[in-house]
Amino acid sequence: MTQTTSSPSLIRLAGLPYFVIAFIARLPFAMMVVGVLTLAVSARGSISLGGLTSAAVGLGTACIGPLLGAAADRFGQRPVLLIIAVANAAALVLFTLAVYSTAPDAVMLIAAFAIGATAPQVAPMSRSRLVTMITENMPRSRQPKVIGGTMAYESAADETVFVFGPFLVGVLASLIAPWAPLVIGAALTVLFVGAFALHPSGAHISAARKADGAAVAPVRELFRARLLVVVVGMFGVGLFFGTMLTALTSFMEDRGHPEQAGLLYGVMGVGSAVLALGVAFLPPSFSLRNRWLVFSGILFAGTLLLFVVHDVPTMSLALGLMGIGIGPTLVTQYSFGAAHTPAGRSATVMTMLGSSIIVGQSLGAAVTGRLAESVGTSVALYLPILAAAIVVVAGVVNHVLNSPRRLAR
C-alpha cells in the first residue's frame, strides 16, 4: 500500500488514528462470547447454562447482525453504530445484573440474545469503509493488490483480537472479578465504537454513496452460490475458533492449569496473524481459489494431530501448524466476499461474514463445553477436526464455482 504519484495511499486516505480506533473498537465483539460463558459458569455454577448463554449470543448475532449491515448500507454507518453501541453496552450491563440476581435463567438468555443482536459489527464495517475508499479513490489497476493487502491487515487484526479477547477475559476475571470483562467491555463499546462511528470516514462513505446515485443491488443478489459458500466457509472458521478454544480449555483443566489455555491459544494466534499479513506478498499466480484449498488443507492437517496429542508440547506443535493455515484462509475468504459483493451491499456482505464467525464460535463453544463435561476432553478434541473439514469442503465448492469456465459464462 505504498503511495504513488497517481493516487494517495490507504493510510493517508483513512488516517493513522482510524486504524487504532478500529482495532480497539472490535475488542468487545471478541470478548463477549467468552465473557458471557465465564460469568454464567462462575456465578451460576453450570457449564450447561454457560453454553446456552453463549449459543444465545450467537443466535442474536445470526438473526440481527446482517440486518444491521443492511441498515448501515441504507442509512449510513454512523447512526446505526451510535445506536447499537449504546444498546450493546446496556445489554452487557443487564446480563451482568441478571446473572447476580435471583432472576430466572430465561432472563439471562434473553439478555444474552440482546448482547448478540446489538453486537457492534466494527470489523466488517471497517472492511466496507476501506474497500469503498479504495474503489473510489484509486485507479482500477491498483485496486486488487491494495484490497488484498487491506484484507490481509484486517484479518490479521481480527486474528489478534480473537486471540487477545479471550486472554483478556481470563486476565480481568482472575485479577478483578468474573463480571469485569463484560463491564469493561461495555465501557470500551461506548468509547471506541462511538469514536469509530464518529470518525470522518463514516460520514464520507454515506455521503459518497448518496452522491453516487448508483442503484443498490436487489436482496436476491446476496443469496448467490458464490457468496453463500464464503459465508459457510466463514462459519466453519468461527466453529473452529469456538471448538478449539473450549477443547483447549478442557485440555488444560485436566492438567490443573485452565487459566493457561489463553496463553497456549496464543501460539496459534501469533503465527496466524503473521501469516495473514504475509498473504499480501504472495504472487498473483497463486490464485485466491487455490489459496483457500492449500491453507485450509494445512489447517485440517494441524487438527489431525489432535488425535495423538497427549501433552502440552505436542499441543503447541499442533496449534502452530493450525496457525499457518487459519490466518491466510480467513484473508482469502474476506477477499472472495469483497469480490462477490453486490452493488451497494458492502456493509451487508461484510456483516454477514463477520456474523458467520461469531455464530460458529458461539455454537462451537456451547457444544464443545457440553461434550467435554459429559464425555471428556478426548472426544471434545474431535470437534475442531470437524470444523476444519467444513472449511476445506467449502473451499472445494468455492474452487468449482470460481473456475475460469464457470466465470466465463
Side-chain angles (χ1 to χ4, degrees):
M1 290 184 283
T2 57
Q3 186 174 352
T4 70
T5 56
S6 60
S7 63
S9 68
L10 182 58
I11 292 178
R12 175 170 290 187
L13 284 172
L16 188 59
Y18 170 86
F19 293 96
V20 177
I21 293 170
F23 181 83
I24 299 175
R26 68 186 79 193
L27 256 179
F29 189 78
M31 293 168 62
M32 64 183 187
V33 172
V34 180
V36 163
L37 176 65
T38 300
L39 180 57
V41 172
S42 173
R44 295 287 178 109
S46 171
I47 295 179
S48 297
L49 180 59
L52 285 175
T53 55
S54 295
V57 172
L59 181 62
T61 304
C63 293
I64 309 299
L67 298 180
L68 296 178
D73 281 329
R74 176 68 177 83
F75 303 107
Q77 290 189 14
R78 179 169 291 174
V80 174
L81 282 168
L82 287 174
I83 291 171
I84 64 175
V86 175
N88 187 248
L92 288 166
V93 173
L94 175 63
F95 179 83
T96 303
L97 294 175
V99 169
Y100 284 110
S101 71
T102 57
D105 295 344
V107 175
M108 288 176 53
L109 294 175
I110 293 171
F113 179 89
I115 290 172
T118 59
Q121 304 281 341
V122 173
M125 290 193 186
S126 175
R127 285 178 171 86
S128 174
R129 289 190 194 189
L130 295 176
V131 169
T132 301
M133 290 182 203
I134 293 167
T135 56
E136 290 179 354
N137 296 281
M138 293 187 179
R140 190 174 297 273
S141 60
R142 286 191 65 204
Q143 289 178 15
K145 183 176 181 180
V146 179
I147 288 177
T150 301
M151 293 299 106
Y153 162 75
E154 287 285 313
S155 297
D158 282 344
E159 284 288 311
T160 303
V161 165
F162 270 99
V163 170
F164 185 64
F167 175 76
L168 186 60
V169 168
V171 170
L172 293 174
S174 300
L175 295 181
I176 304 176
W179 52 262
L182 295 187
V183 173
I184 293 175
L188 288 175
T189 297
V190 173
L191 291 175
F192 285 92
V193 175
F196 179 75
L198 296 173
H199 189 273
S201 61
H204 159 74
I205 289 179
S206 299
R209 194 163 282 155
K210 290 177 182 177
D212 179 82
V216 175
V219 173
R220 67 175 179 273
E221 294 294 320
L222 297 171
F223 297 94
R224 298 282 187 180
R226 290 191 183 100
L227 184 55
L228 289 180
V229 73
V230 182
V231 173
V232 174
M234 296 293 276
F235 170 79
V237 169
L239 197 65
F240 169 75
F241 283 144
T243 55
M244 191 64 247
L245 179 57
T246 308
L248 182 61
T249 302
S250 179
F251 177 83
M252 294 306 295
E253 186 176 30
D254 292 346
R255 284 149 184 80
H257 301 287
E259 73 283 355
Q260 294 181 9
L263 296 175
L264 196 57
Y265 192 66
V267 172
M268 180 185 74
V270 171
S272 179
V274 171
L275 267 294
L277 287 172
V279 169
F281 301 99
L282 292 175
S285 58
F286 189 8
S287 67
L288 286 175
R289 66 194 193 112
N290 287 332
R291 291 178 194 179
W292 187 337
L293 285 181
V294 169
F295 288 111
S296 65
I298 294 173
L299 169 65
F300 184 67
T303 62
L304 291 179
L305 292 179
L306 296 175
F307 282 118
V308 296
V309 164
H310 297 294
D311 54 31
V312 172
T314 52
M315 176 62 81
S316 299
L317 176 63
L319 289 169
L321 184 56
M322 293 176 211
I324 294 174
I326 191 66
T329 299
L330 196 59
V331 173
T332 303
Q333 290 172 332
Y334 271 118
S335 295
F336 271 114
H340 296 316
T341 296
R345 298 286 184 180
S346 179
T348 305
V349 169
M350 291 301 167
T351 306
M352 286 170 61
L353 300 183
S355 297
S356 297
I357 290 182
I358 205 69
V359 170
Q361 184 191 32
S362 300
L363 180 62
V367 173
T368 308
R370 186 67 179 268
L371 198 61
E373 183 182 60
S374 60
V375 183
T377 301
S378 59
V379 177
L381 285 171
Y382 297 154
L383 295 184
I385 303 173
L386 176 62
I390 292 174
V391 180
V392 172
V393 172
V396 172
V397 175
N398 178 77
H399 196 273
V400 174
L401 291 175
N402 288 279
S403 65
R405 180 180 299 178
R406 281 180 173 265
L407 292 176
R409 291 178 182 176

